[in-house]
Amino acid sequence: MADTASSTIDSREIEKFAAIADQWWDAEGEFKPLHMLNPVRVGYIRDRLCARFGRDPQGPKPLSGLKICDIGCGGGLICEPLTRLGAQVTGVDATGQSIDVAYNHAQRMGLDIRYRHTTADELVAEGEQFDAVVNMEVVEHVSDLQAFIMDAAALVQPGGAMVLSTFNRTAKSFALGVVAAEYVLRWLPRGTHNWRKFVKPSELAAALRPTGMTVADVCGMAYNPIQDDFHLAHRDVDVNYLAFAVKD
């Protein structure tokens, strides 16, 4: 295991996720919102990467041959479907308990996924690079946004891409992403999110700019209470949103 003492790691965040790591694959447990978001997130990642690399998103293995790094992979909720789509996936997380859960689940599913208990800056120091880097619901938990984005972008090889998902910092995101999700619906443990650390799309674009990466698309994700699911909402980025950035 690598040393995870990184300037972008918030030890309080690590402790929070370590405490509930055994629930990663419980679709009705503490990570229920991520399970609900997963089909939307994976579909967006697939479609954007296929467009970037000239693939058919409806093909049997549309991401075949692409090297993808999932930073903050947790229990592997994104790593597994990306692997099934043909990608060579490396899952990275600073919480050792989450990596253990992810590895064991992948083994039971018969999936070959490279999991590492390490951080983005450690991978940069090792000279690693990938066709694409994925950061799902991570940037709102780091201690230094700019430093983290610099490290993540350094892992993207020229011509590659980065896909991010996070919360916008708006009154609506406080009402729905914090109050409703943590206190009313109780989808998440209280204190999971700090609204002040939510990231506006303009702030994300500004953080990426010095790295040589450009935001090519921003798309919202909205919750439908009648159908009890999430869907892409291109113009509604007030709460959850996805961003696709490219490096030329």
Side-chain angles (χ1 to χ4, degrees):
M1 295 297 181
D3 181 6
T4 58
S6 165
S7 61
T8 66
I9 296 299
D10 187 328
S11 60
R12 292 167 298 182
E13 297 286 349
I14 300 302
E15 291 169 3
K16 282 192 294 187
F17 285 98
I20 55 176
D22 62 338
Q23 298 190 44
W24 272 110
W25 287 96
D26 181 358
E28 296 299 321
E30 304 285 13
F31 295 104
K32 179 179 178 178
L34 297 186
H35 284 270
M36 296 172 68
L37 284 167
N38 229 35
V40 179
R41 300 189 304 176
V42 172
Y44 182 87
I45 295 169
R46 177 201 62 203
D47 292 350
R48 286 291 161 181
L49 291 182
C50 283
R52 178 68 174 172
F53 293 102
R55 308 294 184 85
D56 177 5
Q58 301 306 316
K61 297 281 186 180
L63 302 184
S64 180
L66 292 182
K67 291 176 59 181
I68 300 178
C69 181
D70 182 3
I71 302 174
C73 67
L77 300 189
I78 292 290
C79 291
E80 292 200 6
L82 293 184
T83 300
R84 291 190 172 96
L85 289 171
Q88 300 172 29
V89 180
T90 296
V92 173
D93 204 284
T95 304
Q97 293 92 328
S98 293
I99 287 294
D100 290 341
V101 169
Y103 175 80
N104 290 330
H105 193 273
Q107 290 292 299
R108 291 197 298 274
M109 296 296 106
L111 297 173
D112 183 15
I113 301 173
R114 178 189 178 216
Y115 281 116
R116 295 192 58 187
H117 175 208
T118 188
T119 57
D121 60 314
E122 289 287 343
L123 293 184
V124 172
E126 294 170 11
E128 294 258 22
Q129 282 200 313
F130 303 85
D131 297 299
V133 169
V134 174
N135 296 307
M136 298 287 103
E137 282 72 45
V138 173
V139 296
E140 71 270 21
H141 296 288
V142 301
S143 62
D144 186 329
L145 175 64
Q146 187 62 64
F148 175 79
I149 290 296
M150 293 291 287
D151 288 334
L155 294 172
V156 180
Q157 64 185 26
M162 186 189 301
V163 191
L164 306 101
S165 175
T166 189
F167 284 92
N168 198 349
R169 192 173 66 257
T170 63
K172 186 175 178 181
S173 72
F174 180 77
L176 298 180
V178 178
V179 177
E182 298 182 16
Y183 294 86
V184 179
L185 299 173
R186 297 184 179 179
W187 282 349
L188 297 166
R190 294 182 180 183
T192 296
H193 290 113
N194 179 350
W195 178 80
R196 292 180 179 85
K197 294 177 73 173
F198 287 4
V199 182
K200 294 182 178 182
S202 59
E203 295 169 342
L204 188 61
L208 282 162
R209 201 169 296 124
T211 74
M213 298 198 72
T214 305
V215 175
D217 183 70
V218 175
C219 182
M221 293 183 287
Y223 175 66
N224 185 325
I226 297 176
Q227 296 182 344
D228 191 30
D229 65 8
F230 284 87
H231 60 274
L232 292 179
H234 292 275
R235 296 183 180 179
D236 183 3
V237 297
D238 289 345
V239 185
N240 299 85
Y241 69 92
L242 291 147
F244 185 75
V246 297
K247 178 184 284 189
D248 294 321

PDB file of all heavy atoms in Angstrom, residues 223-229 231:
ATOM      1  N   TYR A 223     -33.441  14.696 -10.223  1.00  0.00           N
ATOM      2  CA  TYR A 223     -34.192  13.609  -9.595  1.00  0.00           C
ATOM      3  C   TYR A 223     -35.680  13.729  -9.919  1.00  0.00           C
ATOM      4  O   TYR A 223     -36.259  14.821  -9.827  1.00  0.00           O
ATOM      5  CB  TYR A 223     -33.986  13.647  -8.078  1.00  0.00           C
ATOM      6  CG  TYR A 223     -34.819  12.641  -7.310  1.00  0.00           C
ATOM      7  CD1 TYR A 223     -34.593  11.275  -7.463  1.00  0.00           C
ATOM      8  CD2 TYR A 223     -35.819  13.061  -6.436  1.00  0.00           C
ATOM      9  CE1 TYR A 223     -35.347  10.350  -6.755  1.00  0.00           C
ATOM     10  CE2 TYR A 223     -36.580  12.143  -5.721  1.00  0.00           C
ATOM     11  CZ  TYR A 223     -36.340  10.781  -5.886  1.00  0.00           C
ATOM     12  OH  TYR A 223     -37.097   9.872  -5.186  1.00  0.00           O
ATOM     13  N   ASN A 224     -36.279  12.618 -10.313  1.00  0.00           N
ATOM     14  CA  ASN A 224     -37.713  12.555 -10.573  1.00  0.00           C
ATOM     15  C   ASN A 224     -38.372  11.803  -9.419  1.00  0.00           C
ATOM     16  O   ASN A 224     -38.249  10.580  -9.332  1.00  0.00           O
ATOM     17  CB  ASN A 224     -37.992  11.836 -11.900  1.00  0.00           C
ATOM     18  CG  ASN A 224     -39.469  11.852 -12.281  1.00  0.00           C
ATOM     19  OD1 ASN A 224     -40.344  11.784 -11.415  1.00  0.00           O
ATOM     20  ND2 ASN A 224     -39.747  11.929 -13.568  1.00  0.00           N
ATOM     21  N   PRO A 225     -39.059  12.499  -8.510  1.00  0.00           N
ATOM     22  CA  PRO A 225     -39.641  11.828  -7.337  1.00  0.00           C
ATOM     23  C   PRO A 225     -40.760  10.845  -7.675  1.00  0.00           C
ATOM     24  O   PRO A 225     -41.011   9.911  -6.909  1.00  0.00           O
ATOM     25  CB  PRO A 225     -40.173  12.999  -6.497  1.00  0.00           C
ATOM     26  CG  PRO A 225     -40.392  14.097  -7.479  1.00  0.00           C
ATOM     27  CD  PRO A 225     -39.324  13.942  -8.517  1.00  0.00           C
ATOM     28  N   ILE A 226     -41.415  11.041  -8.812  1.00  0.00           N
ATOM     29  CA  ILE A 226     -42.490  10.121  -9.204  1.00  0.00           C
ATOM     30  C   ILE A 226     -41.921   8.779  -9.650  1.00  0.00           C
ATOM     31  O   ILE A 226     -42.369   7.715  -9.235  1.00  0.00           O
ATOM     32  CB  ILE A 226     -43.346  10.749 -10.314  1.00  0.00           C
ATOM     33  CG1 ILE A 226     -44.028  12.019  -9.799  1.00  0.00           C
ATOM     34  CG2 ILE A 226     -44.388   9.742 -10.826  1.00  0.00           C
ATOM     35  CD1 ILE A 226     -44.809  12.767 -10.850  1.00  0.00           C
ATOM     36  N   GLN A 227     -40.899   8.843 -10.493  1.00  0.00           N
ATOM     37  CA  GLN A 227     -40.260   7.615 -10.967  1.00  0.00           C
ATOM     38  C   GLN A 227     -39.158   7.134 -10.029  1.00  0.00           C
ATOM     39  O   GLN A 227     -38.641   6.031 -10.193  1.00  0.00           O
ATOM     40  CB  GLN A 227     -39.684   7.844 -12.373  1.00  0.00           C
ATOM     41  CG  GLN A 227     -40.753   8.154 -13.420  1.00  0.00           C
ATOM     42  CD  GLN A 227     -40.152   8.333 -14.806  1.00  0.00           C
ATOM     43  OE1 GLN A 227     -38.949   8.524 -14.965  1.00  0.00           O
ATOM     44  NE2 GLN A 227     -41.002   8.280 -15.822  1.00  0.00           N
ATOM     45  N   ASP A 228     -38.791   7.974  -9.066  1.00  0.00           N
ATOM     46  CA  ASP A 228     -37.751   7.654  -8.096  1.00  0.00           C
ATOM     47  C   ASP A 228     -36.436   7.290  -8.787  1.00  0.00           C
ATOM     48  O   ASP A 228     -35.819   6.271  -8.505  1.00  0.00           O
ATOM     49  CB  ASP A 228     -38.198   6.510  -7.170  1.00  0.00           C
ATOM     50  CG  ASP A 228     -37.265   6.326  -5.973  1.00  0.00           C
ATOM     51  OD1 ASP A 228     -36.668   7.329  -5.528  1.00  0.00           O
ATOM     52  OD2 ASP A 228     -37.139   5.183  -5.485  1.00  0.00           O
ATOM     53  N   ASP A 229     -36.033   8.169  -9.721  1.00  0.00           N
ATOM     54  CA  ASP A 229     -34.762   7.942 -10.397  1.00  0.00           C
ATOM     55  C   ASP A 229     -34.179   9.269 -10.872  1.00  0.00           C
ATOM     56  O   ASP A 229     -34.814  10.318 -10.785  1.00  0.00           O
ATOM     57  CB  ASP A 229     -34.911   6.972 -11.566  1.00  0.00           C
ATOM     58  CG  ASP A 229     -35.786   7.519 -12.698  1.00  0.00           C
ATOM     59  OD1 ASP A 229     -36.162   8.716 -12.650  1.00  0.00           O
ATOM     60  OD2 ASP A 229     -36.104   6.758 -13.632  1.00  0.00           O
ATOM     61  N   HIS A 231     -32.080  11.432 -14.039  1.00  0.00           N
ATOM     62  CA  HIS A 231     -31.933  11.492 -15.483  1.00  0.00           C
ATOM     63  C   HIS A 231     -31.063  12.698 -15.837  1.00  0.00           C
ATOM     64  O   HIS A 231     -30.892  13.609 -15.025  1.00  0.00           O
ATOM     65  CB  HIS A 231     -33.296  11.618 -16.173  1.00  0.00           C
ATOM     66  CG  HIS A 231     -34.058  12.840 -15.762  1.00  0.00           C
ATOM     67  ND1 HIS A 231     -34.865  12.868 -14.634  1.00  0.00           N
ATOM     68  CD2 HIS A 231     -34.132  14.095 -16.297  1.00  0.00           C
ATOM     69  CE1 HIS A 231     -35.408  14.074 -14.506  1.00  0.00           C
ATOM     70  NE2 HIS A 231     -34.971  14.835 -15.493  1.00  0.00           N
TER      71      HIS A 231
END
